[in-house]
């Protein structure tokens, strides 16, 4: 079923929308949540919460890309869950945060309020300039939290290449954020 | 690790979750194309196949091309969407808006801007079914040749969630606008089905 057809089911308050969403995206969402939480039970709970959030969001939302829409919900719920649980065990989220510190400039800057819209716009501009492959590598790592080996396998490249690309992209993003002064 | 830097990195990780939906969707679906040699061999095989079929039907080609001296006595469809929009303009059921009147986040709309109307747009609200149908048709048109046609009427489809697309463009990430009626050069020529559907919408 196409995304817009599933969205039509949500708008019609037809519960088949949940079933169809699960059929099309359930595995991907569970995988995303699990990579952040490292717990099958917690991941399944987060995915179930995702469908509830989506049900409540539509209408009025009418996303063009349902997969991205649901992924964002799952990611947010999973990140919040991880922080709420204050996990001490070193998990996927902590590793990602540590990697992303490389994007934060070392220069001391005056205290600023975090302007969320501006940073998102900067990230979108950064992503727009990348090739499709580099953008996929970056987002598979930092949005979908996929392991390097999985990214390499699914994009048919070597793991070494994924590491090098990510390292260079973090450097580029660091320079961009330094110039913009957003972080 | 510097605590402030860690907090900023956590913030950055959160904000990555808000990037454009198009990139998020594309990242999961992206696949590397076949290795170069396989692409070349595939291209050669396709070319040979086309040549064989072409030679086979060469003797039948005349049947498909009418005598150019005989005019088409019953033209029932317009040659292009642009021609239709310009010719039938006066019959459309649209409202006129200025750029500040365009709302990107409430309902879906079909937006037209005619050459010479620099600050005015023609807007037609769309039902959910209409926007779904139009959305499914976009990208199915034929590619333009080397010279992109000059459009007398630009067309956008406002989806109601901030995203903006056009029937003259393919649905690649770079062709999806965000809360803006962006300028563009046509990449595709909308199909006859789309012209017919837009005609039904604008005249209803």
């Amino acid at each position: 079923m196409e995304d817009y057809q599933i969205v039509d089911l949500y708008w019609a308050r037809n519960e088949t929308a949940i079933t169809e969403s699960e059929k099309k995206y359930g595995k991907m969402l569970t995988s995303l949540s699990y990579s952040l939480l490292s717990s099958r039970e917690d991941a399944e709970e987060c995915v179930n919460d995702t469908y509830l959030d989506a049900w409540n969001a539509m209408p009025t939302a009418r996303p063009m890309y349902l997969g991205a829409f649901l992924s964002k919900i799952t990611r947010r719920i999973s990140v919040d869950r991880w922080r709420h649980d204050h996990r001490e065990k070193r998990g996927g989220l902590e590793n990602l945060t540590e990697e992303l510190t490389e994007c934060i400039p070392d220069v001391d800057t005056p205290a600023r309020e975090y302007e969320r819209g501006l940073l998102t716009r900067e990230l979108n501009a950064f992503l727009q300039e990348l090739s499709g492959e580099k953008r996929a590598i970056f987002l598979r790592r930092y949005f979908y939290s996929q392991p390097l080996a999985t990214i390499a396998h699914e994009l048919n490249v070597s793991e070494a290449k994924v590491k090098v690309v990510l390292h260079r992209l973090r450097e580029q993003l660091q320079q961009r954020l330094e110039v913009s002064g957003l972080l | 690790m510097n605590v402030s830097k860690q907090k900023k990195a956590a913030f950055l990780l959160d904000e990555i979750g808000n990037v454009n939906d198009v990139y998020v969707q594309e990242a999961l679906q992206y696949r590397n194309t076949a290795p170069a040699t396989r692409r070349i061999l595939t291209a050669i095989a396709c070319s040979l196949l086309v040549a064989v079929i072409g030679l086979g039907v060469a003797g039948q080609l005349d049947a498909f091309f009418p005598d150019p001296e005989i005019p088409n006595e019953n033209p029932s469809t317009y040659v292009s969407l642009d021609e239709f929009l310009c010719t039938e303009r006066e019959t459309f059921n649209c409202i006129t808006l200025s750029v500040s009147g365009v709302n990107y986040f409430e309902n879906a709309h079909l937006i037209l801007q005619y050459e010479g109307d620099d600050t005015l747009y023609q807007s037609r609200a769309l039902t959910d079914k209409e926007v779904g149908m139009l959305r499914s048709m976009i990208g199915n048109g034929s590619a333009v040749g080397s010279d992109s046609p000059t459009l007398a009427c630009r067309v956008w489809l406002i989806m109601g969630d901030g995203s903006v697309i056009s029937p003259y463009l393919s649905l690649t990430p770079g062709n999806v606008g965000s809360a803006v009626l962006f300028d563009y050069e046509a990449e595709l020529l909308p199909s006859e089905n789309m012209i017919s559907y837009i005609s039904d919408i604008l005249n209803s």
Side-chain angles (χ1 to χ4, degrees), chain A:
Chain A
M1 204 179 248
E2 297 291 333
D3 281 358
Y4 79 89
Q5 291 172 311
I6 302 176
V7 171
D8 281 346
L9 290 175
Y10 278 102
W11 274 67
R13 312 314 280 163
N14 185 332
E15 291 179 6
T16 315
I18 309 287
T19 313
E20 293 297 328
S21 299
E22 191 176 12
K23 203 186 294 182
K24 192 168 184 182
Y25 294 114
K27 202 172 169 185
M28 181 266 287
L29 297 175
T30 306
S31 176
L32 191 164
S33 184
Y34 181 80
S35 64
L36 290 167
L37 300 175
S38 303
S39 162
R40 178 66 60 186
E41 294 78 23
D42 290 347
E44 286 175 0
E45 276 183 32
C46 288
V47 172
N48 288 335
D49 288 344
T50 297
Y51 298 136
L52 178 61
D53 269 17
W55 180 261
N56 291 333
M58 292 184 275
T60 53
R62 182 177 276 280
M64 188 185 302
Y65 301 105
L66 183 61
F69 180 76
L70 295 174
S71 297
K72 285 185 172 182
I73 298 175
T74 299
R75 189 181 187 274
R76 176 178 47 79
I77 292 174
S78 302
V79 168
D80 288 348
R81 175 71 174 260
W82 184 87
R83 288 178 178 153
H84 180 265
D85 288 350
H86 301 292
R87 282 180 182 268
E88 292 181 5
K89 186 174 71 175
R90 197 174 177 82
L93 189 60
E94 196 172 334
N95 288 338
L96 295 181
T97 307
E98 201 167 304
E99 282 178 34
L100 285 176
T101 56
E102 293 181 23
C103 300
I104 310 301
D106 283 324
V107 176
D108 285 337
T109 58
R112 289 193 176 89
E113 280 191 11
Y114 291 140
E115 298 182 29
R116 292 186 176 271
L118 289 180
L119 180 54
T120 305
R121 200 188 306 174
E122 197 65 34
L123 285 167
N124 281 326
F126 167 71
L127 292 170
Q128 188 174 25
E129 290 171 6
L130 301 179
S131 67
E133 183 182 74
K134 286 182 180 173
R135 190 161 48 231
I137 289 174
F138 185 89
L139 288 175
R140 278 170 175 265
R141 181 65 182 148
Y142 298 118
F143 182 96
Y144 289 103
S145 189
Q146 288 185 342
L148 301 184
T150 304
I151 298 172
H153 173 73
E154 295 200 358
L155 294 186
N156 198 27
V157 297
S158 68
E159 197 171 322
K161 177 174 177 178
V162 173
K163 279 186 195 170
V164 167
V165 167
L166 283 172
H167 177 70
R168 287 182 185 157
L169 289 177
R170 289 195 298 268
E171 282 184 341
Q172 287 175 28
L173 183 56
Q174 182 201 32
Q175 287 168 10
R176 196 178 187 108
L177 294 178
E178 198 168 82
V179 167
S180 67
L182 283 171
L183 281 179

Side-chain angles (χ1 to χ4, degrees), chain B residues 87-168:
Chain B
T87 307
E88 300 291 329
R89 179 178 180 176
E90 299 304 322
T91 67
F92 294 161
N93 185 11
C94 293
I95 59 173
T96 303
L97 297 173
S98 64
V99 66
S100 60
V102 177
N103 190 320
Y104 300 93
F105 296 96
E106 280 191 11
N107 301 313
H109 284 81
L110 189 66
I111 301 285
L112 314 176
Q113 185 186 35
Y114 289 90
E115 200 172 10
D117 288 348
D118 293 336
T119 59
L120 295 177
Y121 302 87
Q122 306 303 313
S123 171
R124 166 63 160 85
L126 299 172
T127 65
D128 297 334
K129 183 184 172 188
E130 286 168 343
V131 73
M133 283 297 292
L134 284 173
R135 166 72 178 80
S136 68
M137 290 179 186
I138 285 180
N140 292 336
S142 53
V144 302
S146 54
D147 294 323
S148 183
T150 302
L151 299 175
C153 178
R154 292 196 186 281
V155 184
W156 296 270
L157 183 59
I158 293 178
M159 301 301 292
D161 60 356
S163 59
V164 183
I165 56 180
S166 171
Y168 285 103

